[in-house]
Amino acid sequence: MLSEILSITGRPGLYKLVSTNKNMNIVESLGDGKRIPVYAQEKVVALSDVSIYTQSGDIPLREVFKKIKEKEGGQQVSLGSKPSGKELFVYLGEVLPDYSRDSVYAGDVKKMISWYNILTEHNIDLEEAEEAEETKEEASAKSETKEAE
């Protein structure tokens, strides 16, 4: 599921992929449900491709979301309307103690928390999403193996 949830540079919020075409994609805003075209030249990132820098490498965003969900008991994160950078880093330190202090910025943490809140608000189950992604990856690997034979 996280492979179908997109962040589009220059546009607020998250979007669900509805349809793909040669030169554009159609996405639906998770915020207001409006469908819009996204053209090939726009920078689009699937949440499944995002990771957070740690001292020992990268950790996929879905793993960080799971840790936030455990900490918050499945509820949204409430840090106030305008948390300071220090508050954001304290929160991230509680969730992911070994995050890279040199590579992760306050804006990254704020965006990550915002994304988590949007996913929680729309009842997107992170465990179900991960299982679906793993099933797709396994099916893809099997078909590649058969083609190679």
Side-chain angles (χ1 to χ4, degrees):
M1 186 69 176
L2 288 183
S3 61
E4 294 178 0
I5 305 295
L6 310 172
S7 171
I8 303 170
T9 301
R11 297 182 191 226
L14 292 174
Y15 299 84
K16 181 177 180 180
L17 181 63
V18 175
S19 172
T20 61
N21 193 337
K22 183 178 178 182
N23 295 321
M24 72 173 178
N25 295 323
I26 303 295
V27 297
E28 182 177 293
S29 170
L30 290 180
D32 59 13
K34 291 184 180 177
R35 291 185 176 191
I36 58 171
V38 177
Y39 298 96
Q41 67 268 22
E42 293 184 75
K43 185 172 181 183
V44 177
V45 177
L47 293 192
S48 62
D49 295 337
V50 177
S51 59
I52 302 294
Y53 295 116
T54 65
Q55 301 299 333
S56 58
D58 295 352
I59 184 168
L61 189 60
R62 70 175 167 263
E63 296 296 324
V64 179
F65 283 164
K66 280 202 260 183
K67 290 180 181 198
I68 293 173
K69 185 176 181 178
E70 288 172 14
K71 178 178 175 21
E72 298 298 329
Q75 301 300 311
Q76 291 191 348
V77 175
S78 58
L79 288 177
S81 60
K82 300 265 184 184
S84 69
K86 184 176 182 179
E87 291 172 315
L88 292 169
F89 287 124
V90 166
Y91 184 83
L92 182 60
E94 293 171 2
V95 174
L96 191 65
D98 68 334
Y99 77 92
S100 173
R101 275 116 178 105
D102 297 329
S103 303
V104 178
Y105 301 101
D108 300 332
V109 180
K110 187 174 183 179
K111 189 177 290 189
M112 178 185 61
I113 291 171
S114 169
W115 288 348
Y116 172 81
N117 285 340
I118 291 170
L119 294 173
T120 303
E121 179 181 333
H122 290 86
N123 298 321
I124 295 176
D125 186 8
L126 301 174
E127 282 81 24
E128 179 182 302
E130 183 179 0
E131 288 172 11
E133 284 178 28
E134 288 175 358
T135 303
K136 282 183 186 177
E137 289 172 5
E138 289 172 7
S140 175
K142 286 180 183 177
S143 69
E144 287 175 8
T145 305
K146 286 181 182 179
E147 289 175 6
E149 293 174 352

